[in-house]
Amino acid sequence: MPPSTAAATPPPEPRLRVVRADHRYGATHALKDAHLTVAAGEVHALVGENGAGKSTLIRLLAGAETADVFSATIDGRPYTPRNPADARRAGLRFVHQELNVAPSLSVAETVHLGLPYPRTPLGTIDWRTLNTRTADTLSKLQLGHINPATVMHRLSAGDAMLVTLARALAAEPDGPAAGLYVFDEPTAALSAREADRLFDAILRLRATGAGILYVSHRMNEIFDLSDRVTVLRNGATVGVFDTSNTDRAALVQAMTGREGGLAGRTPKGRGDAEQPVVLSVRSLQTRQLNEVDLDVQAGLVTVVVGLPGSGRRALLRAFAGDATLHGGQVHVLGIPMKQSPHAAWQAGVAFVPDERRGEGLWLSGSVAANMLLPHLGRVTRAGWVRRRHEQREAEAWAARVGVRARGVRQPAWELSGGNQQKVVLARALAGQPQALLLGEPTRGVDVGAKEEIYDLVRNAAQQGTAVLVATSDLEEAFTLADRMVVMAHGRIVLDAAASDLTREAVLTAAFRDAAEEVAA
């Protein structure tokens, strides 16, 4: 079936035209003949479920990857980027949700990173001129409240995001002015006030004739900012819509390929009343969470889903003791828990973070060391590790979770992503936890390892462990969940038995706007 162009008006001469983008990662067909057009003076939204191909398309535009097939033009000229420098020379600028900044640099240094610094007659950096140039750039975005000399780590997340936009606007003597800006989930970590500042900056860019490609899961932002919307599904462009002539239901249907939705209904389900509650919070408040009530029961897999910035990750970390609470308290088996990762571990709460390489593994350490690091008391005597005991226990756990390695002395960095994740899971399970917290448990894991990890999660629940999973993968959520919790804007907006829910119901709840959520 050819892609629909429901109510879409033919655009003026485009800044960007992607005629065809096709790309595979092994057996995964990430993009299938996708196409996209962004006009001058237009904010064009790009939407789709997780895995629809949005991130792949952005990486191809940025020159971060080379496509199998990529036919595109910038202002009518052929565009085939081989690296990020090609994208910059062509006038593309990218603002990502991840703040890739050096915290020790000043605002002025960050804005001009990669650009030639002004010099004094003696050849040293002319800091006064650098700060003046930065102030001029910031003033174009009406960001006079940001001091060019301020060190980046002292800024709020919102101001740091706006500084990255200023970096994209910085004057370049050797290149053309930017004609296309790509914003990838830029408000995921911003407050409402910070987001408003960013929106004002985007609208000012549009007024200069720049093209804006805006990637977001947040429907209120899409309808408030964009002129048109392109929908990707399973790697293909399935619709192009004029924002003024469509509604959220039509976009959700295009993203999922099916009709349906919950239309504001919020059913409640509390799992199995006979299972004891292991983890509980009432009126939990953090910077990202607002009045959250939740019970997590023994023997059940409770899965938390939501869009980026919805609070699903923050909720998991609050239960893991890794959050500053402004209200409420975590209880484990009815007993208040001190808010620290150590206290959570001592209370029987095991946490597998979503960033296993950065937070979950000692990469240069062996498989055995990673598995048994918090359990050394079982394999030591008088402060010395008994290597034979360590080897025996590590081998037993490696066999139990299915780690494929040359042996338990192999460094963790040499393992595949799936085997690294099994090592982290083994460490969590070896403590026989009351509760198991899992963030994105199969991210970056191949299909075979994914199924094995699912089996480990189910087995833990069957043995009475309370399992709480936070994931961005809806297919994973429905595969694992006994009970599903949907979050939006730091609140729980849907809580029901997974068997009572549809994919469309979950998506409709997740896309709920903040105003609707508060009214509900």
Side-chain angles (χ1 to χ4, degrees):
M1 178 184 296
S4 66
T5 53
T9 303
E13 182 62 29
R15 285 287 192 185
L16 168 70
R17 186 190 298 278
V18 177
V19 179
R20 182 185 176 193
D22 199 284
H23 195 53
R24 289 178 179 270
Y25 297 103
T28 301
H29 207 163
L31 287 175
K32 308 170 186 175
D33 198 18
H35 60 83
L36 172 71
T37 301
V38 181
E42 174 190 36
V43 177
H44 193 112
L46 180 65
V47 302
E49 294 184 79
N50 292 305
K54 304 185 300 298
S55 296
T56 300
L57 182 56
I58 290 171
R59 286 195 294 270
L60 299 183
L61 287 172
E65 293 185 17
T66 302
D68 299 330
V69 177
F70 191 70
S71 175
T73 61
I74 297 288
D75 293 328
R77 297 184 297 274
Y79 177 60
T80 53
R82 294 164 296 178
N83 52 54
D86 285 348
R88 188 169 187 85
R89 281 191 291 268
L92 277 74
R93 303 293 180 267
F94 295 82
V95 179
H96 302 284
Q97 60 176 302
E98 297 89 1
L99 294 174
N100 294 319
V101 296
S104 60
L105 294 183
S106 71
V107 169
E109 290 172 302
T110 299
V111 168
H112 290 86
L113 198 62
L115 301 175
Y117 282 13
R119 299 284 176 173
T120 68
L122 296 177
T124 60
I125 295 174
D126 187 343
W127 292 105
R128 177 176 295 179
T129 300
L130 185 70
N131 286 336
T132 300
R133 287 183 182 177
T134 303
D136 290 343
T137 301
L138 293 171
S139 69
K140 294 177 184 177
L141 295 172
Q142 296 184 14
L143 300 177
H145 66 285
I146 299 177
N147 187 332
T150 300
V151 179
M152 288 298 295
H153 74 79
R154 296 187 179 277
L155 298 181
S156 68
D159 281 347
M161 176 64 72
L162 290 167
V163 168
T164 66
L165 176 57
R167 182 170 64 189
L169 284 174
E172 299 174 66
D174 299 325
L180 182 77
Y181 293 85
V182 180
F183 291 84
D184 184 10
E185 296 284 359
T187 62
L190 305 189
S191 68
R193 179 176 295 180
E194 292 166 341
D196 284 342
R197 282 179 174 166
L198 178 64
F199 299 155
D200 287 344
I202 289 172
L203 294 176
R204 285 194 292 275
L205 285 175
R206 180 177 69 175
T208 69
I212 312 293
L213 181 60
Y214 191 86
V215 183
S216 179
H217 286 92
R218 298 184 174 184
M219 286 291 181
N220 57 327
E221 296 178 3
I222 291 166
F223 282 96
D224 287 347
L225 281 175
S226 72
D227 302 291
R228 293 187 303 142
V229 184
T230 288
V231 180
L232 292 181
R233 185 173 74 239
N234 297 327
T237 300
V238 296
V240 184
F241 300 82
D242 279 345
T243 310
S244 60
N245 294 330
T246 192
D247 58 22
R248 180 170 49 190
L251 293 185
V252 171
Q253 180 180 346
M255 284 188 284
T256 64
R258 294 180 298 277
E259 295 185 9
L262 210 60
R265 192 169 137 257
T266 308
K268 294 291 181 183
R270 293 294 177 187
D272 186 342
E274 296 183 359
Q275 295 284 10
V277 172
V278 177
L279 297 176
S280 65
V281 290
R282 292 291 180 271
S283 300
L284 183 67
Q285 294 267 11
T286 71
R287 184 176 182 272
Q288 296 87 16
L289 301 174
N290 188 11
E291 295 291 332
V292 172
D293 296 340
L294 183 64
D295 293 331
V296 184
Q297 293 174 283
L300 297 179
V301 179
T302 301
V303 177
V304 183
V305 298
L307 306 177
S310 64
R312 67 170 192 266
R313 188 172 185 265
L315 179 61
L316 209 67
R317 288 185 172 270
F319 276 122
D322 187 22
T324 299
L325 304 188
H326 303 313
Q329 188 167 30
V330 176
H331 289 76
V332 182
L333 293 173
I335 301 172
M337 184 188 84
K338 291 184 179 179
Q339 196 60 21
S340 76
H342 176 73
W345 181 260
Q346 292 298 110
V349 180
F351 177 41
V352 176
D354 47 4
E355 296 294 341
R356 61 175 172 269
R357 292 179 66 87
E359 298 180 333
L361 285 168
W362 173 24
L363 288 170
S364 61
S366 67
V367 170
N370 274 280
M371 284 182 177
L372 300 178
L373 191 61
H375 313 294
L376 287 178
R378 303 207 296 249
V379 294
T380 57
R381 176 179 291 171
W384 294 91
V385 176
R386 295 183 292 176
R387 294 298 178 187
R388 185 176 300 176
H389 289 75
E390 180 192 40
Q391 177 103 6
R392 186 182 306 126
E393 181 149 357
E395 286 175 348
W397 275 106
R400 189 177 303 182
V401 302
V403 172
R404 294 173 179 84
R406 294 194 306 271
V408 296
R409 299 301 172 192
Q410 184 175 356
W413 67 265
E414 294 183 356
L415 303 182
S416 68
N419 283 304
Q420 287 179 344
Q421 188 72 340
K422 290 176 190 175
V423 169
V424 181
L425 265 172
R427 180 175 64 219
L429 294 172
Q432 298 180 325
Q434 299 280 353
L436 177 63
L437 311 177
L438 302 170
E440 302 288 353
T442 62
R443 176 186 286 167
V445 169
D446 64 54
V447 174
K450 183 178 291 189
E451 289 300 323
E452 292 174 330
I453 290 169
Y454 290 165
D455 286 342
L456 291 170
V457 173
R458 293 189 194 100
N459 289 339
Q462 288 169 4
Q463 294 177 26
T465 303
V467 180
L468 183 64
V469 178
T471 181
S472 59
D473 186 335
L474 269 189
E475 182 178 352
E476 176 166 279
F478 277 101
T479 298
L480 284 174
D482 297 305
R483 170 185 171 203
M484 198 173 301
V485 173
V486 183
M487 297 196 70
H489 311 287
R491 294 176 180 265
I492 293 174
V493 296
L494 178 62
D495 180 354
S499 58
D500 293 337
L501 295 174
T502 65
R503 189 183 189 91
E504 293 72 41
V506 171
L507 279 173
T508 301
F511 278 109
R512 180 177 293 178
D513 291 347
E516 295 174 328
E517 185 274 314
V518 171

